[in-house]
Amino acid sequence: MEAFMTNLLKIKKMSKGFYLLFTILMAVIPLYYILFWVCINHLPETLISNVAPESFLSFPLSIKLRLLGFTASLLPLSALIYGVANLRRLFSFYKQGTIFSMEHARIFRKVAKALVLWCLFSILYEAAQSVLFSISNPPGSRVISVGVSSFEVTTLIVAGIALFTAWVMDEGRILSEENELTV
Amino acid sequence: MPIHVNLDVVMAKRKMKSVELAGLIGITEQNLSILKTGKAKAIRFSTLDAICRHLDCRPGDILEYREKD
């Protein structure tokens, strides 16, 4: 029992750190997307050329194109924020010492959903980026690049693991409830 | 569940209060209430042993099997 209490204290302490990290990320991630589109004309091409061959990129981008780009970025951004917000909520439960509950399983399912959405929206976003970056080119030099990389595959695998964890968490909740009702 | 807990009956016969018994067997009054009201899913042998010792009874006096109607 004493070991359990010590571990619970450690979990609570570490969760405070993760909770803070996800709180910061919720502010930093949208800021990163905004700054990316505001400063895109001043960024080195190596940072932005992963969506199309460098020869097809046409810079600087007009304000209209940058606004369109930022609008497109809202898709993966919203999925990412949804995921981070749920992780933050998960750690707020751990912070309070609640390890297993119905809500935990639900949060893991939501995180898995956010990862799948993020993956799909990232593919769309990168396709939109390739169009925006080459739209000022003469006809014949405009590109649309749609692709799936190892990053998307990894994200989908992590989403699958999160979904599986949700199932395990639900089983844990049943055991925890049973333990609470053992006198 | 066809297992009925007759702890309240035995306690009444022994004129033992919940707070007193909970203190004697080393569980919280809340947990004793869970046991008395039949909400418990399991009972530890150590708890059963302590209850029987302090109420001077046998497990069969506390736990009773009743067929479902």
Side-chain angles (χ1 to χ4, degrees), chain A residues 150-168:
Chain A
S150 59
F151 167 75
E152 277 83 19
V153 175
T154 311
T155 308
L156 284 178
I157 291 171
V158 174
I161 292 170
L163 210 58
F164 187 80
T165 310
W167 183 25
V168 175

Side-chain angles (χ1 to χ4, degrees), chain A residues 174 177-183, chain B residues 27 31 40-44 47:
Chain A
I174 293 166
E177 278 177 7
E178 203 164 283
N179 191 42
E180 275 170 26
L181 291 174
T182 297
V183 181
Chain B
I27 64 170
N31 274 349
K41 289 205 173 182
I43 178 166
R44 290 188 185 91
T47 310

Side-chain angles (χ1 to χ4, degrees), chain A residues 44-65:
Chain A
E45 282 194 353
T46 46
L47 272 180
I48 48 179
S49 64
N50 60 334
V51 293
E54 276 183 39
S55 54
F56 285 95
L57 299 174
S58 59
F59 284 96
L61 294 180
S62 64
I63 288 188
K64 194 180 156 193
L65 286 177

Side-chain angles (χ1 to χ4, degrees), chain A residues 183, chain B residues 18 22-23 25-34:
Chain A
V183 181
Chain B
S18 289
I25 61 178
I27 64 170
T28 62
E29 221 182 320
Q30 192 191 357
N31 274 349
L32 188 66
S33 168
I34 289 172

